[in-house]
Each structure stands twice: as C-alpha cells, then as structure tokens.
Amino acid sequence: MFHNDAFRALDRQEGLRLLAKVPVGRVVYTRHALPAVLPINFSLDTDASVLLRTSPGSDLVRAIDGVVVAFEADEFDAATRSGWSVVVTGRATVVTDPDEHARLSETGPTSWMPLQNAVFVRIESEMVTGRELRGTPGTQ
C-alpha cells in the first residue's frame, strides 16, 4: 500500500470539530432522479447533527425530508495546497416539534436569505468521514 504523509484520514471527532469552524457547506441529494448539490449555511447541534434553516415550501425540503443525504464542507488554501474536507451522511428530517423548533430559533443557524416561517432540517450524523491534505507550496 502506498503511504503518503501529505494525506490523512480524519476520525469522527476531528471531522465534527472542523465542520464547526466553517459557516457554509453543500447538501447532496437527489432531485428528479438526478444528483443535486446546494450550497447552504449551517450549524452543528449539540448531538452533532447538521442543522439547516430554510423556507418551508422550498424544493430542498420536499426533496430531502425523510431521505438519506450527504452534507459536505471544506476549507482549502490553494497557495499551500492544503486543507480538509468532511462529509456527513444521514437521514434528513424537518423539525416538527414546537419546543425543538423554538430552541433552534434561538440557537440554530440563521439563514443568509430572508425567510418567513422558516423551518429547520436536521441531518443526523450517522457517518462522518473526512480527509486532510498537508501540501507544500509549489509541489506538483
């Protein structure tokens, strides 16, 4: 097996720690039987699930409620060719409990888009995978 010190797999805890550092990721789902990717701001809940805040009538909510999706976020530095990428895979569900919705209205993500009657979508962190690249400037 090839060993490369510039690449390292991240464990669950490292991946979640890095996710908490960035404000935007991409939800990966199926739309009309085709792969779809949507950038969206997010936050992590206390149980390590990914939280999205969006419009209740959005195509995203209709497409992912009750479905297994992937959520990916990353951070890279082109000059040093270094960075990381983390993928959370799990079931997405719209938060319907009024008490939970009220809590998330205070502690959850704030949408970057103006919303009325926002809903929260929770993506369970059933599987967390990631990798880190430790490059050097000018390497080919």
Side-chain angles (χ1 to χ4, degrees), residues 7 15-16 22 25 28 47 49 52 62 66 70 74 80 93 100 106 108 116 125 129 137:
F7 168 85
L16 292 171
V22 295
V28 182
D47 66 354
S49 59
L52 313 175
R62 286 190 297 277
D74 52 50
T80 62
T93 54
E100 183 70 354
E106 297 295 321
Q116 291 184 1
S125 61
T129 59

Short mmCIF file of all heavy atoms in Angstrom, two decimals, residues 7 15-16 22 25 28 47 49 52 62 66 70 74 80 93 100 106 108 116 125 129 137:
data_model
loop_
_atom_site.label_atom_id
_atom_site.label_comp_id
_atom_site.label_asym_id
_atom_site.label_seq_id
_atom_site.Cartn_x
_atom_site.Cartn_y
_atom_site.Cartn_z
N PHE A 7 -1.43 13.26 3.02
CA PHE A 7 -2.85 12.91 3.11
C PHE A 7 -3.10 12.18 4.42
O PHE A 7 -2.32 11.32 4.81
CB PHE A 7 -3.25 12.03 1.94
CG PHE A 7 -4.60 11.39 2.10
CD1 PHE A 7 -5.75 12.07 1.73
CD2 PHE A 7 -4.72 10.13 2.62
CE1 PHE A 7 -6.98 11.49 1.89
CE2 PHE A 7 -5.95 9.54 2.77
CZ PHE A 7 -7.09 10.21 2.41
N GLY A 15 -13.44 15.45 12.37
CA GLY A 15 -14.32 15.95 11.32
C GLY A 15 -15.36 16.91 11.87
O GLY A 15 -15.59 17.98 11.30
N LEU A 16 -15.99 16.54 12.96
CA LEU A 16 -17.01 17.42 13.56
C LEU A 16 -16.40 18.72 14.07
O LEU A 16 -17.00 19.79 13.93
CB LEU A 16 -17.74 16.68 14.68
CG LEU A 16 -18.64 15.52 14.22
CD1 LEU A 16 -19.13 14.73 15.41
CD2 LEU A 16 -19.78 16.01 13.34
N VAL A 22 -16.59 26.26 10.01
CA VAL A 22 -16.96 26.92 8.76
C VAL A 22 -18.47 27.17 8.71
O VAL A 22 -19.24 26.41 9.27
CB VAL A 22 -16.51 26.10 7.53
CG1 VAL A 22 -14.99 26.02 7.46
CG2 VAL A 22 -17.11 24.72 7.52
N GLY A 25 -21.68 24.89 3.77
CA GLY A 25 -21.37 23.58 3.22
C GLY A 25 -22.31 23.31 2.06
O GLY A 25 -23.02 24.22 1.59
N VAL A 28 -26.02 17.32 -0.48
CA VAL A 28 -26.03 16.49 -1.69
C VAL A 28 -27.24 15.57 -1.60
O VAL A 28 -27.38 14.81 -0.64
CB VAL A 28 -24.73 15.66 -1.80
CG1 VAL A 28 -24.72 14.84 -3.08
CG2 VAL A 28 -23.50 16.58 -1.73
N ASP A 47 -26.04 17.43 19.46
CA ASP A 47 -25.92 15.99 19.20
C ASP A 47 -25.09 15.71 17.95
O ASP A 47 -25.08 14.59 17.45
CB ASP A 47 -27.30 15.34 19.08
CG ASP A 47 -28.07 15.82 17.87
OD1 ASP A 47 -27.60 16.75 17.16
OD2 ASP A 47 -29.16 15.27 17.60
N SER A 49 -25.61 16.71 14.93
CA SER A 49 -26.33 16.71 13.66
C SER A 49 -26.14 18.07 12.98
O SER A 49 -25.90 19.09 13.63
CB SER A 49 -27.81 16.39 13.86
OG SER A 49 -28.42 17.33 14.71
N LEU A 52 -29.98 22.93 9.16
CA LEU A 52 -30.20 23.88 8.09
C LEU A 52 -31.47 24.67 8.43
O LEU A 52 -32.39 24.13 9.04
CB LEU A 52 -30.43 23.16 6.76
CG LEU A 52 -29.47 22.04 6.39
CD1 LEU A 52 -29.92 21.37 5.10
CD2 LEU A 52 -28.05 22.57 6.27
N ARG A 62 -38.81 19.56 0.29
CA ARG A 62 -39.61 18.49 -0.33
C ARG A 62 -38.73 17.32 -0.77
O ARG A 62 -39.13 16.17 -0.70
CB ARG A 62 -40.41 19.02 -1.51
CG ARG A 62 -41.60 19.87 -1.07
CD ARG A 62 -42.52 20.19 -2.24
NE ARG A 62 -41.90 21.00 -3.28
CZ ARG A 62 -41.79 22.33 -3.25
NH1 ARG A 62 -42.28 23.00 -2.22
NH2 ARG A 62 -41.23 22.98 -4.24
N GLY A 66 -36.96 13.08 5.26
CA GLY A 66 -37.07 11.64 5.43
C GLY A 66 -36.13 10.82 4.57
O GLY A 66 -36.22 9.59 4.53
N ALA A 70 -26.19 13.49 1.89
CA ALA A 70 -24.82 13.78 2.32
C ALA A 70 -24.70 15.29 2.49
O ALA A 70 -25.37 16.06 1.81
CB ALA A 70 -23.80 13.28 1.30
N ASP A 74 -15.77 22.11 3.57
CA ASP A 74 -14.33 22.02 3.44
C ASP A 74 -13.69 23.38 3.62
O ASP A 74 -14.37 24.39 3.71
CB ASP A 74 -13.93 21.43 2.08
CG ASP A 74 -14.59 22.16 0.92
OD1 ASP A 74 -14.52 23.41 0.86
OD2 ASP A 74 -15.18 21.49 0.07
N THR A 80 -0.81 26.79 -0.41
CA THR A 80 -0.06 25.71 0.24
C THR A 80 -0.55 24.33 -0.17
O THR A 80 -0.01 23.33 0.27
CB THR A 80 -0.15 25.83 1.77
OG1 THR A 80 -1.52 25.70 2.16
CG2 THR A 80 0.43 27.14 2.26
N THR A 93 -34.48 15.24 8.28
CA THR A 93 -35.88 15.36 8.69
C THR A 93 -36.17 16.81 9.06
O THR A 93 -35.33 17.51 9.62
CB THR A 93 -36.21 14.47 9.91
OG1 THR A 93 -35.29 14.77 10.97
CG2 THR A 93 -36.13 13.00 9.57
N GLU A 100 -38.70 22.02 20.16
CA GLU A 100 -37.41 21.91 19.48
C GLU A 100 -37.25 23.05 18.47
O GLU A 100 -36.18 23.64 18.35
CB GLU A 100 -37.31 20.55 18.78
CG GLU A 100 -35.99 20.30 18.11
CD GLU A 100 -34.83 20.07 19.05
OE1 GLU A 100 -34.99 20.21 20.28
OE2 GLU A 100 -33.73 19.79 18.56
N GLU A 106 -33.54 29.99 18.59
CA GLU A 106 -32.60 30.75 19.41
C GLU A 106 -31.15 30.32 19.18
O GLU A 106 -30.25 31.16 19.20
CB GLU A 106 -32.94 30.57 20.90
CG GLU A 106 -34.29 31.12 21.28
CD GLU A 106 -34.37 32.63 21.12
OE1 GLU A 106 -33.38 33.33 21.42
OE2 GLU A 106 -35.42 33.11 20.67
N GLY A 108 -30.01 27.77 16.69
CA GLY A 108 -29.68 27.17 15.40
C GLY A 108 -29.12 28.18 14.42
O GLY A 108 -28.90 29.34 14.75
N GLN A 116 -39.53 33.83 5.81
CA GLN A 116 -40.69 33.95 6.67
C GLN A 116 -41.13 32.54 7.04
O GLN A 116 -41.14 31.64 6.19
CB GLN A 116 -41.83 34.67 5.96
CG GLN A 116 -41.54 36.13 5.73
CD GLN A 116 -42.74 36.84 5.12
OE1 GLN A 116 -43.78 36.26 4.88
NE2 GLN A 116 -42.57 38.13 4.87
N SER A 125 -25.91 12.79 11.95
CA SER A 125 -24.51 12.48 11.60
C SER A 125 -24.25 10.99 11.81
O SER A 125 -23.45 10.60 12.66
CB SER A 125 -23.55 13.35 12.39
OG SER A 125 -23.70 13.12 13.77
N THR A 129 -17.04 11.20 7.67
CA THR A 129 -15.76 10.85 7.09
C THR A 129 -15.07 12.13 6.64
O THR A 129 -15.72 13.14 6.38
CB THR A 129 -15.92 9.92 5.87
OG1 THR A 129 -16.73 10.58 4.89
CG2 THR A 129 -16.57 8.60 6.27
N PRO A 137 3.93 24.51 -0.72
CA PRO A 137 3.86 25.43 -1.85
C PRO A 137 4.65 24.91 -3.05
O PRO A 137 5.75 24.40 -2.89
CB PRO A 137 4.51 26.72 -1.30
CG PRO A 137 4.49 26.59 0.17
CD PRO A 137 4.50 25.12 0.46
#
